[in-house]
Amino acid sequence: GVVLVGVGFYNLHSYINAEAAVDQKFVANLLIDNSEYENLTKEKIVELTKAEEVGEVLDVEIPDDSFLDSLKPGIYSAKINLQLPYNQKIQRIVAVNVRDTVSPVIESDETIKLTQGEDFPLDKVTVTDQAPKTLDSEALKVSGFDKEKVGEQKVQLTATDLSGNQTTKEVTVQVAAKPEKQTTASTEEATPAETQAETAEAIVEPITEEKSEEGSTEAESTAATEVPNSATSATNNASDQGKTQISEATPAPTTPAPVETSVLRFAGSTVPFIPSGGASAAPGSGAGTWMGSGSVTDGAPTHFIGHNPGDFSGVMGLSVGSAITVVDSSGNSRTYTVYEVIDVNDDGYNANNPSDDVFPRMLYAGGERISLQTCINDSVNRCVLAS
């Protein structure tokens, strides 16, 4: 009996230790850079999670497996069913984060010809991202171009996708001088008028030499008529001056200040943000929405990333109870209150407690929430959760 009890306790101990070994070796959070893989397979996910090292893989379930071939950036889930010793069957959920690290492609002619004064022809440049997906003109920046400078110019085209990946291409722009305006026609048109004026002078001169009583009367009548006209003109000028003074005294209507959108406000600073879905790094300036849209009315979480040192340095000073205000792209504003501050390693675990997986409650828990992340060092990040 003592032997049987001892064996029973030994089996129970081994049973518990087998599942604990899974949690120690199994990789539950996968970070996949789409520039490193052409596609993914279930076998590759099993390999990356080290599932075969902890037990026998019975099945791999992927609700939405379309990302396996496309490697479209986003966060996906997979379920791996395992069988451990003593016929113990367990299931582990894997978060697969596909990050966009593929730079966009710029297509254009190597040489572009323009006439002085013409704007750079954006319609002659095409920018495509992974998929391929055509990006709009806002993704393209033109530098080194002067439309008034005649001659050959080296112009840089820089394209940036939603994840912050950049591509630069140099093109040659040849600017030709404007053609000179033709003045011959206007000169020819003026010639008949000049001829008529000279003819009129020739006709008038003999008449002015002889004075008659009728001529004097007509001249006096003309002078009398011009006097009241001059007075009327002076009165009109005075009236116009009065109107001008009144107009100048009237205050100009004030234009309302534009509403600032797509910004974060915390710790006395205002930080703009842009879409950065699944990016491998934060934007060079401001912040990025690594997950979520930044909307304050969609009832879904948004995870913001930014640099420290940089625009996210203020995140290090936030604590439980601190206020963070978000103004989304539509101008809607919401203030969130910090309820947790935690340091997280690059694998998503609590830096002070390796068994605490922070990703589920920081990224996957639903509701109208936000989280802010910035670097402490190369492997540890400060994360702030607010609702």
Side-chain angles (χ1 to χ4, degrees), residues 207-272:
I207 296 175
T208 54
E209 290 177 356
E210 297 180 0
K211 293 184 180 179
S212 64
E213 292 180 0
E214 292 180 1
S216 300
T217 304
E218 289 177 1
E220 290 173 358
S221 175
T222 302
T225 304
E226 289 177 353
V227 170
N229 288 342
S230 300
T232 304
S233 176
T235 304
N236 290 337
N237 289 338
S239 176
D240 290 342
Q241 291 177 359
K243 289 180 181 178
T244 302
Q245 292 175 355
I246 294 172
S247 176
E248 291 176 352
T250 304
T254 57
T255 303
V259 177
E260 198 170 20
T261 59
S262 297
V263 295
L264 291 160
R265 295 194 182 100
F266 60 89
S269 61
T270 300
V271 180

Side-chain angles (χ1 to χ4, degrees), residues 157-318:
L157 306 178
T158 302
T160 307
D161 63 17
L162 296 179
S163 299
N165 302 307
Q166 284 189 348
T167 297
T168 299
K169 179 180 180 179
E170 185 176 82
V171 297
T172 300
V173 178
Q174 296 177 351
V175 180
K178 290 181 180 179
E180 295 183 0
K181 295 182 178 180
Q182 300 295 327
T183 58
T184 305
S186 60
T187 304
E188 292 175 350
E189 290 174 358
T191 302
E194 292 173 358
T195 303
Q196 291 176 4
E198 291 173 359
T199 304
E201 289 177 1
I203 296 173
V204 170
E205 284 176 0
I207 296 175
T208 54
E209 290 177 356
E210 297 180 0
K211 293 184 180 179
S212 64
E213 292 180 0
E214 292 180 1
S216 300
T217 304
E218 289 177 1
E220 290 173 358
S221 175
T222 302
T225 304
E226 289 177 353
V227 170
N229 288 342
S230 300
T232 304
S233 176
T235 304
N236 290 337
N237 289 338
S239 176
D240 290 342
Q241 291 177 359
K243 289 180 181 178
T244 302
Q245 292 175 355
I246 294 172
S247 176
E248 291 176 352
T250 304
T254 57
T255 303
V259 177
E260 198 170 20
T261 59
S262 297
V263 295
L264 291 160
R265 295 194 182 100
F266 60 89
S269 61
T270 300
V271 180
F273 64 83
I274 61 174
S276 297
S280 57
S285 63
T289 55
W290 188 82
M291 187 181 78
S293 65
S295 171
V296 302
T297 59
D298 62 356
T302 299
H303 185 68
F304 296 93
I305 57 175
H307 285 297
N308 172 46
D311 290 330
F312 253 32
S313 297
V315 173
M316 299 300 296
L318 297 176

